[in-house]
Amino acid sequence: MNSIGRLLSLTTFGESHGVAIGGVLDGFPSGVAVDEDFVAAEMARRRPGQSAVTTARQEQDKVEFLSGIFEGRTTGTPIAFIIRNDNTRSGDYDNMRDVYRPSHADYVYDYKYGLRDHRGGGRSSARETAVRVCAGALAKLALKELGITVQAYTSQVGGIKLDKRYVDYDLSLAESNIVRCPDAGKAKEMEELILDVKRQGDTVGGVVTCVVKGAPAGLGEPLYGKLTSSLAHAMLSINAVKGFEYGNGFEAASGRGSEQNDLFYRNGDTIATRTNNSGGIQGGISNGNDIYFRVAFKPVATLLMEQETVTSAGEETKLLAHGRHDPCVVPRAVPVVEAMASLVLLDSYLLDRSRAGLFV
Amino acid sequence: MNSIGRLLSLTTFGESHGVAIGGVLDGFPSGVAVDEDFVAAEMARRRPGQSAVTTARQEQDKVEFLSGIFEGRTTGTPIAFIIRNDNTRSGDYDNMRDVYRPSHADYVYDYKYGLRDHRGGGRSSARETAVRVCAGALAKLALKELGITVQAYTSQVGGIKLDKRYVDYDLSLAESNIVRCPDAGKAKEMEELILDVKRQGDTVGGVVTCVVKGAPAGLGEPLYGKLTSSLAHAMLSINAVKGFEYGNGFEAASGRGSEQNDLFYRNGDTIATRTNNSGGIQGGISNGNDIYFRVAFKPVATLLMEQETVTSAGEETKLLAHGRHDPCVVPRAVPVVEAMASLVLLDSYLLDRSRAGLFV
Amino acid sequence: MNSIGRLLSLTTFGESHGVAIGGVLDGFPSGVAVDEDFVAAEMARRRPGQSAVTTARQEQDKVEFLSGIFEGRTTGTPIAFIIRNDNTRSGDYDNMRDVYRPSHADYVYDYKYGLRDHRGGGRSSARETAVRVCAGALAKLALKELGITVQAYTSQVGGIKLDKRYVDYDLSLAESNIVRCPDAGKAKEMEELILDVKRQGDTVGGVVTCVVKGAPAGLGEPLYGKLTSSLAHAMLSINAVKGFEYGNGFEAASGRGSEQNDLFYRNGDTIATRTNNSGGIQGGISNGNDIYFRVAFKPVATLLMEQETVTSAGEETKLLAHGRHDPCVVPRAVPVVEAMASLVLLDSYLLDRSRAGLFV
Amino acid sequence: MNSIGRLLSLTTFGESHGVAIGGVLDGFPSGVAVDEDFVAAEMARRRPGQSAVTTARQEQDKVEFLSGIFEGRTTGTPIAFIIRNDNTRSGDYDNMRDVYRPSHADYVYDYKYGLRDHRGGGRSSARETAVRVCAGALAKLALKELGITVQAYTSQVGGIKLDKRYVDYDLSLAESNIVRCPDAGKAKEMEELILDVKRQGDTVGGVVTCVVKGAPAGLGEPLYGKLTSSLAHAMLSINAVKGFEYGNGFEAASGRGSEQNDLFYRNGDTIATRTNNSGGIQGGISNGNDIYFRVAFKPVATLLMEQETVTSAGEETKLLAHGRHDPCVVPRAVPVVEAMASLVLLDSYLLDRSRAGLFV
């Protein structure tokens, strides 16, 4: 099940230290101009080694398109692309061949498949998210033509949280610092926290908030294709994600209907709501408001400190990871969250378009 | 997209005030004894009118099986069943025919489909969850034979929250009170809060926690069929759900890897972990520990108090709902969460079984 | 896998002698007026007991719609319907409980599922095709609004074959005789053959030809969603079908490219072809010409004559079927073939509509 | 829809003259030893330029595996592979940029997508079948461990047909001649016919027969996942295929049930049938007998002779194709048919394994 999406589907493949990782984006509409510079810029946002708060592993993550594009435009046929694994240092993982990293996928892969490629985490490596970012960049290009934008930002790192809602920030500022937080002061605190954690060989978690603007009403297919279900599915498929909430999310549990309902009113020729606690989605269908949601990331499991664990033979041992790892995955996860949201949105758009207004 | 599941799929149908609601459960293994009393008992847990904290609507929710069962056992062919809608009072909804209830699905259905059955919320009614509970009951019967149990309980209503983890409660006590909370004192507080809110014509949200015991390691299909993705997808498809988290969930964002990693150790002949912050799932695959997760429900959108809104013609108006509605959906949502989890678990079991140990 | 279709999916359920058979048609567009008289008329075309050449079993096959229709129009939500099994005489099947009918599904169901509902063939009974006809009738109503018609006819019964192509017949005559053949003379011969075979307790096979007019170019999704693949899949899912061919089909194997290629020419403002050996489909995509294909049916396996066989315990025995069975399934299969073609066409239309002309 | 399969899915990509073609085989079980020599041998059977009866285009069709294999064995993660397009002479296609080849996919791709890669037929080129053969080779390796073999052969070229059934030939002889026909005399005639047709710049069709031995009973998922439906779907997805039949196929239409039914008898400890007109499949489920079916191929549409056609602007013109094309696709289609059958069989095996014997 290495595919996601209904009409627009992304299939990914590749291990961290194999020949290449890559993807096949199928069902992408024809006629979209492929801006390769934009794709490269998106890749650079996720690239390891981009700043002091990320892993030192240097990957150029250069995308090689193999199919589906002709004379600069998509043809409607599957768009395949690969990213070579150049900067692998598999030797760093020799001591993990038969040892399970705590809270990592090593043990369950071994259990499920009976064997595994241990180098760099193999298939379970977050390196796979590079493929998502590339596919998401293409989806963004299509969404842009439809007037839909997707932007995410870091809203929490460890105990440091933004205390205002997304509407209270200038989101364009998020990309002006290395943690991708639109509040410059908090960004500085987050950066310092990550560097401090890194020095200790430890890791720290965080939260990414994502905002979609310009999405029309009507996206999402009840009941089991709700936009909320699709977004949750996509977000929980990202490495290290522990939770998803949209609109006022878990806070909604604490309140009253009379406080939280989004009252309708007339705004010129259109119907609008006075609040947007629903996060732009009601009954699983977009209502034309901004869509927003939050995604929780756990601290990266691979630590540069000694941990107790067991070998594949079941013997207790201690493990000190080498390799190059992120002290906090959140800054690099921002474009991954955007990518998955973009794929879900474009897929939902196509699904709705297939039937909307056909007979009524 | 009224279906969910890969090898075990549930397709549901029916409007709140139509002839009947029902479902088709396809891919269910043959040979499972169908305990109709158990199914009826599960239906009773979700049934409206069961206590003072639920809607007064009285539905017997009697399940009529149409196919897939022969001489008391499942045959491997699709199991279809219907539940007649007996106690409908569609007249209660006459004033909603052309008026959109705030934060309900009325508006988006009208926008998406161009027309809608407004009676009782039509397809968007939580009445559809009765179908899920019936299908889930069958899944539970199969899981029981595999040694897997699924139990949920109310862990929060409005501001009243359980402050301990699931392991610190006797979960068998959850069914001993009408809010389905294993802490008798908190249960009483929750009950009083719901009754108070009900008297005001208002509604209140809450959280359901769900625990799966006995699931073997190896369930979940990376990368886009992770057990976490499937659970999140299923939970977000339930009416009024705003968020999902598993293991330590959003709390994970605040902490350090060194605190949160679940260290492996040897426990007799098996590999175990000293903690279970992962909620029994690592890399999207179950590791043999208890699986647990939390689901946030917003307050029911339909209030028995006057609210501002607009008509389908875009004119501003006020709406006072009649009908019989739940002041808090959480107690009745407990079996719905269990049902969806059971379906996901059984489906995941079959998926894993298809390949596990075939060549290795 | 009791579902077929991508955006428009039909899920069917039910055993021949169970409570009811039925279906759920999901993804059907909203706003289509449901002409229940038309649906009933289609059901009557497939109904057993309709003429001397069909089984004597009398079933009214009255469709009860349960959902998805409001005030006479489809709502975009799943359309569920059931057909009660009234005229069952399960006693006729008592001697088949532990005996396998040759060339029937009895043995393989037992092998695969470990148990089976033997009454009337259970799930493997052609009675299930009544559900297809109902769903197909709804699809036809939608296709009609799109200018697309689907008509099938009997082109062979046993050794009696039509010797001309579909364009050489007035297809409206097909419904004027009980074998559904547009050639009155051949129809008479076919009728006599079937009656003769029936008198002997034997059965006979045949071929149904189906023609789709008015389908636009562009339907079908390369490469594994080719219109030809979808049609073949759907046709081979019908009981007793042994083969499928489109355009000049198996005859194409005998000829030369220079004879068979459909040459393009200009016809007024449009592009047309001088011949239609391609059957309206090239590269798996419709080209705007008539689509036509042929479906081969074997003789019904259940004979009213003694046959050698074995019991489920593996002992050799002889079986003389009672029950009421068709001597030739072809006349009643004509509306089934139309139904499946209609579902495939409407699904293909929606798939193409989702992307066509969006960016180019 | 460039994917096929349920638990084992193949996604393909690539244009004839693009960078590369390739595929992703997902859901393949772990632990299968990958014999790269066997894969190469299979590729060589489909390779262009292999003999006088095929196109002169020389492609090495060297497979580069990118993922899913570790230390010589499959890991259960997606197996991606590419085949570079080396020997492209896109200039040969310059005159087809705006001209539609009769009976080819040129026109419909242009109509459906609004643009197309015309070089070498782009995505519609039969070059894509190289990907299928590679994936099929891997499936064969797994099937071999399960005791299942798949072998196809040429049974008709133009008017020259084998007049005996598959059981009357030594199928191992099929690979001893360049047309892949187990009857040496007929093979010679076929070869001469193809060479004669080639000299004329014309093309000729044919039929491939495929036989599966060793498949256990129980494969195939009723009703819409019948093994016959899956095989037909897969075969009709192959370029130039016009028809599919299994068992006695279209001949079944001419006969009587009393002649065609496969009578059961006891054969030692097992249940067997005296004939196999069912082609090893009853009710859509394998019964343990040999599975056999036939696939009809039309003559290749691209001729090396002048043909009438139109331009994309709708003007009439004449086209004389250059390029290197097969005079008869059948000899090279033999491994393609085997590959698709192997993928369907392995997928069906996994589907059945997921539930078989779990509770009964």
Side-chain angles (χ1 to χ4, degrees), chain C residues 1 103 112 128 202 218 220-221 224 226 229 233 237 242 244 248 257-258 261-262 266 301 307 316 352, chain D residues 1 103 112 128 202-203 218 220-221 224 226 229 233 237 242 244 248 257-258 261-262 266 301 307 316 352:
Chain C
M1 292 192 52
S103 283
K112 186 176 184 71
E128 187 261 359
D202 208 343
E221 304 295 312
Y224 301 105
K226 283 178 178 164
S229 271
H233 181 117
S237 78
K242 297 293 286 283
F244 167 87
N248 58 350
S258 59
N261 276 356
D262 298 318
R266 184 166 185 160
Q307 295 182 91
E316 299 195 348
D352 186 57
Chain D
M1 293 192 52
S103 283
K112 185 176 184 74
E128 186 262 357
D202 208 346
T203 60
E221 303 295 312
Y224 300 106
K226 284 178 178 165
S229 272
H233 182 117
S237 78
K242 296 295 284 286
F244 167 87
N248 57 350
S258 57
N261 276 356
D262 296 319
R266 184 166 185 159
Q307 297 183 90
E316 298 194 348
D352 185 58

Side-chain angles (χ1 to χ4, degrees), chain A residues 1 103 112 128 202-203 218 220-221 224 226 229 233 237 242 244 248 258 261-262 266 301 307 316 352, chain B residues 1 103 112 128 202-203 218 221 224 226 229 233 237 242 244 248 257-258 261-262 266 301 307 316 352:
Chain A
M1 290 194 55
S103 283
K112 186 177 184 72
E128 186 261 0
D202 208 346
T203 60
E221 304 295 312
Y224 300 104
K226 284 177 177 168
S229 272
H233 181 117
S237 78
K242 297 294 287 282
F244 168 87
N248 58 349
S258 58
N261 277 356
D262 297 319
R266 184 165 185 161
Q307 296 183 89
E316 299 195 348
D352 186 57
Chain B
M1 292 193 52
S103 283
K112 185 176 185 72
E128 187 262 358
D202 208 346
T203 59
E221 303 295 310
Y224 300 105
K226 284 177 179 165
S229 271
H233 182 116
S237 78
K242 297 294 285 286
F244 167 87
N248 59 349
S258 58
N261 276 355
D262 297 319
R266 184 166 184 159
Q307 294 183 91
E316 298 193 347
D352 185 57

Side-chain angles (χ1 to χ4, degrees), chain C residues 1-4 6 10 12 100-105 107-109 111-115 123 128 132 156-159 161 193 197 200 202-207 217-226 228-230 232-233 236-239 241-250 252-258 260-266 271 274 277-278 282-283 285-287 294-301 303 305 307-311 313-316 340 351-352 356 360, chain D residues 1-4 6 10 12 100-105 107-109 111-115 123 128 132 156-159 161 193 197 200 202-207 217-226 228-230 232-233 236-239 241-250 252-258 260-266 271 274 277-278 282-283 285-287 294-301 303 305 307-311 313-316 340 351-352 360:
Chain C
M1 292 192 52
N2 290 275
S3 298
I4 188 168
R6 291 247 309 167
L10 173 65
T12 75
Y100 300 136
R101 283 171 292 173
S103 283
H104 210 288
Y107 168 66
V108 290
Y109 269 67
Y111 187 96
K112 186 176 184 71
Y113 297 112
L115 74 170
R123 180 64 181 153
E128 187 261 359
R132 305 179 185 222
Q156 181 180 340
V157 170
K161 307 180 187 185
L193 174 59
V197 161
Q200 300 166 32
D202 208 343
T203 60
V204 66
V207 174
L219 307 188
E221 304 295 312
L223 289 168
Y224 301 105
K226 283 178 178 164
T228 44
S229 271
S230 300
H233 181 117
L236 267 295
S237 78
I238 301 173
N239 301 49
V241 169
K242 297 293 286 283
F244 167 87
E245 59 180 5
Y246 73 98
N248 58 350
F250 274 87
S254 302
R256 305 284 168 93
S258 59
Q260 296 192 14
N261 276 356
D262 298 318
L263 302 182
F264 288 110
Y265 72 102
R266 184 166 185 160
I271 291 175
R274 297 206 184 273
N277 293 312
S278 301
Q282 288 169 334
I285 303 173
S286 66
N287 67 359
R294 285 160 36 90
V295 184
F297 290 81
K298 71 171 185 178
V300 173
L303 309 184
M305 36 200 304
Q307 295 182 91
E308 290 178 22
T309 187
V310 295
T311 67
E315 289 169 10
E316 299 195 348
M340 296 312 291
L351 281 164
D352 186 57
V360 72
Chain D
M1 293 192 52
N2 290 275
S3 298
I4 188 167
R6 291 246 310 166
L10 172 66
T12 74
Y100 300 135
R101 281 171 293 172
S103 283
H104 211 288
Y107 168 66
V108 291
Y109 268 68
Y111 187 96
K112 185 176 184 74
Y113 297 113
L115 75 168
R123 180 65 181 151
E128 186 262 357
R132 304 179 187 221
Q156 181 180 339
V157 171
K161 306 179 189 184
L193 174 60
V197 161
Q200 300 167 35
D202 208 346
T203 60
V204 66
V207 173
L219 306 189
E221 303 295 312
L223 289 173
Y224 300 106
K226 284 178 178 165
T228 45
S229 272
S230 299
H233 182 117
L236 268 294
S237 78
I238 301 172
N239 301 47
V241 170
K242 296 295 284 286
F244 167 87
E245 59 180 4
Y246 74 98
N248 57 350
F250 274 87
S254 303
R256 304 285 167 94
S258 57
Q260 298 193 13
N261 276 356
D262 296 319
L263 302 183
F264 288 111
Y265 71 102
R266 184 166 185 159
I271 291 175
R274 298 208 182 271
N277 293 311
S278 301
Q282 288 169 333
I285 303 171
S286 66
N287 67 359
R294 286 162 33 93
V295 185
F297 289 82
K298 70 171 184 178
V300 173
L303 310 184
M305 37 199 305
Q307 297 183 90
E308 292 178 21
T309 188
V310 295
T311 68
E315 288 169 8
E316 298 194 348
M340 296 311 294
L351 281 163
D352 185 58
V360 72

Side-chain angles (χ1 to χ4, degrees), chain A residues 2 11-15 123, chain B residues 222-223, chain D residues 24-28 66-69 75-80:
Chain A
N2 290 274
T11 300
T12 75
F13 57 83
E15 279 76 41
R123 181 67 182 151
Chain B
L223 286 171
Chain D
V24 185
L25 189 57
D26 193 16
F28 198 87
L66 302 179
S67 66
I69 301 169
T75 59
T77 66
I79 302 168

Side-chain angles (χ1 to χ4, degrees), chain A residues 156-189:
Chain A
Q156 180 181 339
V157 171
I160 306 167
K161 306 180 189 187
L162 293 198
D163 42 21
K164 290 185 277 188
R165 297 173 313 146
Y166 80 91
V167 291
D168 299 321
Y169 294 103
D170 176 355
L171 299 188
S172 71
L173 299 178
E175 294 295 314
S176 62
N177 57 70
I178 59 176
V179 290
R180 300 203 159 84
C181 173
D183 179 319
K186 294 280 189 182
K188 195 68 197 159
E189 291 179 51

Side-chain angles (χ1 to χ4, degrees), chain D residues 8-135:
Chain D
L8 176 72
S9 73
L10 172 66
T11 300
T12 74
F13 57 83
E15 279 76 40
S16 182
H17 289 207
V19 177
I21 57 171
V24 185
L25 189 57
D26 193 16
F28 198 87
S30 61
V32 176
V34 177
D35 178 344
E36 296 208 26
D37 291 340
F38 176 72
V39 174
E42 287 291 282
M43 296 302 289
R45 293 176 68 209
R46 197 218 68 100
R47 193 173 66 79
Q50 65 183 265
S51 78
V53 297
T54 70
T55 170
R57 178 173 171 171
Q58 288 288 342
E59 288 272 10
Q60 288 313 311
D61 286 352
K62 182 168 167 44
V63 172
E64 182 186 4
F65 287 106
L66 302 179
S67 66
I69 301 169
F70 181 61
E71 299 179 346
R73 288 204 297 166
T74 59
T75 59
T77 66
I79 302 168
F81 55 92
I82 59 173
I83 303 161
R84 298 269 168 189
N85 295 320
D86 296 321
N87 193 249
T88 55
R89 296 202 321 220
S90 300
D92 284 353
Y93 292 84
D94 284 351
N95 65 339
M96 298 182 198
R97 189 182 180 100
D98 301 311
V99 177
Y100 300 135
R101 281 171 293 172
S103 283
H104 211 288
D106 299 343
Y107 168 66
V108 291
Y109 268 68
D110 235 13
Y111 187 96
K112 185 176 184 74
Y113 297 113
L115 75 168
R116 73 189 160 101
D117 179 350
H118 68 284
R119 301 166 305 164
R123 180 65 181 151
S124 72
S125 166
R127 177 150 177 71
E128 186 262 357
T129 59
V131 178
R132 304 179 187 221
V133 170
C134 176

